[in-house]
Each structure stands twice: as C-alpha cells, then as structure tokens.
C-alpha cells in the first residue's frame, strides 16, 4: 500500500500542506512527496495520488503567473521567498503531458482566504483533468487558505488530520 503526493509550490505554502498531508497518511501507508518538476510523465504508480498546487487567477498556475511570482520574490513589500525549483513546470503542464491512465486521486490547493467564488480553485481544475484522464476521485477536493501569503498553522493541522483520515480509509479499503 502506498501514497504519492505531487505538488507545485511558489512560496512553500503548498509544499507545507503536502508535508502535513504526508505526516497524516504516513501513519497508515508509505508516502512519498514529489515536486512536480520531478514527477515524470506517467501518473505515479500508487494506491492513492494526491495532487496539489497554488491557485493563481482562479485556477492553475501558468508560465506567466510563475514569472509574476518570481518578480514578487524580489519585492520586499510582498515578504515572500521563492521556493526551490520555481518557476519550472507547473501542475497544469504536468497534467497536460501525463501518459497513461490516472488512478485514485485527491486534488488539493492553496488559495487566498476568501470565498472560492472570488479566488477560484486550482483543485477543481486538477480534479477535472485527472477525471478526464480516467482517474477516480478518492475524496472531495480540498482548499487550504492563506493570509498575507502565508499558510496558517491551523490549516497545517487540518491538512494532517485530513491525511490521517485518507490514510485510514485507504488502509481499510485495501484490506
């Protein structure tokens, strides 16, 4: 039994959520975290794959929004540092280039702390792409909100609890 988490992160927030999810799932199964730039061109071979990224302009990041994130990292007023392997490719390009059929997945994102109707959701786009690729949603999409470009500790606790629940369900479904 195994789980893989593929993430894209501009400023480290989505990576932090991926790590929290992995801590929770890891109580039940071997879990690997992979930056999208290292994810390869095939859907990961695992019982469950979690795919997440930051919400940019109501959806997935693009080369343009990743370039903007890089410019933000040079603006002291923004108070953000660019994560490693950025800009690189994003979840959008990875999904478009995937070979093979997707399996069981969970889509997640990070977004500003406002109503989804105002911010959009990268997870919604991830789910649509993976469903189109033959995948099956294992659970509902999940958004983790940020304030002032920072993920809150309470959101990381929530991510770990979600991971614990997903891992427990995966373990019981496979036994």
């Amino acid at each position: 039994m195994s789980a893989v988490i593929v993430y894209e992160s501009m400023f480290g927030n989505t990576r932090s959520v991926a790590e929290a999810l992995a801590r929770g799932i890891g109580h039940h199964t071997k879990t690997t975290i992979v930056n999208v730039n290292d994810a390869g061109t095939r859907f990961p071979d695992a019982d469950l794959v979690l795919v997440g990224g930051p919400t940019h302009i109501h959806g997935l990041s693009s080369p343009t929004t990743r370039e903007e994130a890089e410019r933000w990292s040079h603006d002291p007023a923004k108070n953000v540092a660019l994560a490693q392997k950025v800009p690189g490719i994003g979840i959008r390009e990875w999904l478009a280039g995937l070979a093979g059929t997707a399996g069981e997945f969970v889509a997640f994102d990070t977004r500003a702390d406002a109503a989804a109707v105002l911010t959009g959701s990268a997870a919604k786009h991830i789910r649509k792409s993976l469903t189109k690729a033959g995948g099956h949603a294992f659970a509902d999409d999940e958004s983790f909100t940020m304030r002032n470009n920072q993920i809150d500790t309470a959101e990381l606790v929530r991510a770990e609890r979600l991971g614990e629940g997903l891992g427990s369900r995966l373990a019981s479904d496979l036994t």
Side-chain angles (χ1 to χ4, degrees):
M1 185 169 42
S2 66
V4 173
I5 302 172
V6 178
Y7 74 91
E8 172 191 355
S9 189
M10 296 293 119
F11 306 119
N13 294 304
T14 310
R15 182 189 67 235
S16 294
V17 169
E19 291 167 348
L21 288 164
R23 282 192 300 275
I25 295 171
H27 293 288
H28 301 279
T29 186
K30 178 183 177 222
T31 305
T32 305
I33 303 173
V34 181
N35 180 289
V36 68
N37 289 281
D38 301 321
T41 59
R42 298 198 65 75
F43 192 74
D45 183 23
D47 299 299
L48 179 63
V49 178
L50 290 81
V51 180
T55 301
H56 285 203
I57 310 176
H58 291 268
L60 294 165
S61 76
S62 68
T64 302
T65 64
R66 289 191 297 278
E67 288 170 9
E68 181 66 16
E70 188 169 11
R71 283 191 291 278
W72 277 27
S73 72
H74 300 295
D75 181 350
K78 299 286 186 195
N79 193 32
V80 294
L82 209 55
Q84 291 181 329
K85 299 202 178 205
V86 172
I89 69 162
I91 293 292
R92 176 191 307 265
E93 292 84 5
W94 180 71
L95 290 169
L98 273 181
T101 303
E104 295 285 333
F105 70 88
V106 174
F108 71 95
D109 64 29
T110 52
R111 61 178 176 83
D113 188 14
V117 70
L118 299 175
T119 65
S121 168
K124 176 181 172 183
H125 295 275
I126 293 166
R127 177 182 32 82
K128 284 181 180 179
S129 291
L130 289 174
T131 300
K132 189 175 181 180
H136 300 96
F138 185 77
D140 291 338
D141 303 346
E142 197 66 45
S143 289
F144 297 91
T145 58
M146 302 174 301
R147 291 191 180 116
N148 300 318
N149 295 317
Q150 295 296 316
I151 195 80
D152 186 74
T153 303
E155 287 292 84
L156 296 177
V157 169
R158 189 169 70 82
E160 188 167 348
R161 287 185 184 141
L162 174 64
E164 171 74 29
L166 292 170
S168 175
R169 180 175 159 212
L170 180 64
S172 67
D173 283 0
L174 295 177
T175 55

